[in-house]
Amino acid sequence: MERIALVTGAAGGLGQSVAAKLAEAGWRLVVNSREGERLARSYGDNHLQVVADCSSVAGSRHIFEVAKAHQMLPTAFAHCVGNIRLGALHRLSETDFAACLNANLISAFYTLAAFVGALRDAKCPGSAVLVSSAAARIGTPNHEAVAAAKAGVEGLVRSAAATYAGNGIRINAVAPGIMDTPASTAILGTAMGRDAAARQYPLPGIGSPDELAELMVWLLSDKAARVTGQVWSMDAGFSTIRPLVR
Ligand SMILES: NC(=O)c1ccc[n+]([C@@H]2O[C@H](COP(=O)([O-])OP(=O)(O)OC[C@H]3O[C@@H](n4cnc5c(N)ncnc54)[C@H](OP(=O)(O)O)[C@@H]3O)[C@@H](O)[C@H]2O)c1
């Protein structure tokens, strides 16, 4: 059977890495962004390109309607939509908090709902991988908005994995530390910022979207057939170890 995967946020840093690795592994792709031009710049004429804002019910359903019209039912789904909004709780604006929730949590909720709905209608098994953050696992200053949104994503993943296990639908998440993508330009854009960020990790350095994409593609594959309801950290030890304690 032909393997078809959906990548949302496909014009972003992580989305492009995941799409490239899925294509390499033989998946046909449906790629999504809110802007057609960004998809065309990233993919030329390749793949089924769907313009939609998946942080709304209508937008997320639209992706699956277009895919269905092209006889493409994605049985794998990588949700690479999100943003980083940093700022202390008492200073973060209502607009920034709403933008953070929309991009990171609301989009995950609606698009995962549309994905499992389409699979159930077709009586098909499948697999989804969402993206959390190390900030959901350990308290880091000024990350209140993104930590709250990503903790929501982790709760969504566990509950949905339980609901749809009987349908053969696996749902997991990955939780990276900082990665070199457009979302982190404000932090990594200067040599000083980059160096300071790299030194915060027990295994010093900055993560690459390609490393995380490798894990995500594995989670979507049959090699991970017994894995569901998990959040896999790839954060160089940031959320779990204290190497300086003697
Ligand atoms: N980079 C990091 O350091 C880091 C660390 C931890 C977690 N993450 C997570 O990794 C995932 C991928 O992000 P990235 O690093 O690849 O960043 P990115 O290059 O900025 O890509 C994220 C994509 O999300 C889409 N998006 C943003 N806001 C949206 C909204 N309100 N509704 C719909 N789509 C929206 C954008 O796509 P369009 O504008 O093309 O629609 C954008 O290309 C995100 O979930 C992010 O939170 C990143």
Side-chain angles (χ1 to χ4, degrees):
M1 196 175 121
E2 202 173 34
R3 295 181 306 158
I4 298 167
L6 165 66
V7 182
T8 47
L14 180 62
Q16 291 193 50
S17 288
V18 172
K21 287 193 186 297
L22 284 169
E24 240 172 66
W27 293 81
R28 281 181 70 205
L29 298 184
V30 180
V31 289
N32 152 261
S33 158
R34 291 168 299 175
E35 278 185 41
E37 261 179 38
R38 301 195 67 210
L39 286 175
R41 262 201 312 275
S42 307
Y43 299 104
D45 291 333
N46 296 320
H47 314 311
L48 176 60
Q49 301 179 8
V50 186
V51 177
D53 183 345
C54 63
S55 62
S56 71
V57 173
S60 53
R61 286 189 184 156
H62 178 69
I63 298 172
F64 292 89
E65 284 158 9
V66 174
K68 192 174 177 187
H70 286 77
Q71 279 84 47
M72 289 176 80
L73 170 70
T75 56
F77 164 41
H79 188 57
C80 301
V81 165
N83 61 22
I84 304 176
R85 287 284 198 278
L86 301 185
L89 181 57
H90 68 285
R91 277 204 223 108
L92 199 79
S93 71
E94 193 175 352
T95 311
D96 272 347
F97 182 52
C100 186
L101 277 189
N102 248 338
N104 290 294
L105 178 57
I106 310 285
S107 71
F109 193 94
Y110 291 144
T111 319
L112 185 61
F115 175 67
V116 295
L119 286 180
R120 276 175 54 94
D121 288 349
K123 297 190 176 19
C124 251
S127 176
V129 63
L130 281 71
V131 184
S132 179
S133 160
R137 322 217 96 193
I138 184 159
T140 44
N142 303 322
H143 282 64
E144 285 87 345
V146 74
K150 295 299 196 183
V153 168
E154 295 192 7
L156 167 67
V157 161
R158 283 187 285 268
S159 184
T163 306
Y164 300 104
N167 301 92
I169 303 174
R170 299 184 300 103
I171 302 166
N172 293 288
V174 291
I178 200 159
M179 293 181 291
D180 219 340
T181 70
S184 57
T185 312
I187 306 163
L188 302 180
T190 62
M192 216 208 290
R194 200 178 174 83
D195 191 50
R199 276 189 279 109
Q200 287 172 344
Y201 290 86
L203 298 173
I206 305 295
S208 88
D210 279 351
E211 290 165 346
L212 191 69
E214 201 74 61
L215 173 60
M216 292 170 73
V217 169
W218 180 79
L219 283 168
L220 292 175
S221 77
D222 288 343
K223 291 178 189 153
R226 303 289 300 155
V227 181
T228 197
Q230 302 296 316
V231 180
W232 292 60
S233 285
M234 187 178 266
D235 64 5
F238 186 81
S239 61
T240 43
I241 62 171
R242 296 284 177 279
L244 297 180
V245 174
R246 293 281 181 264

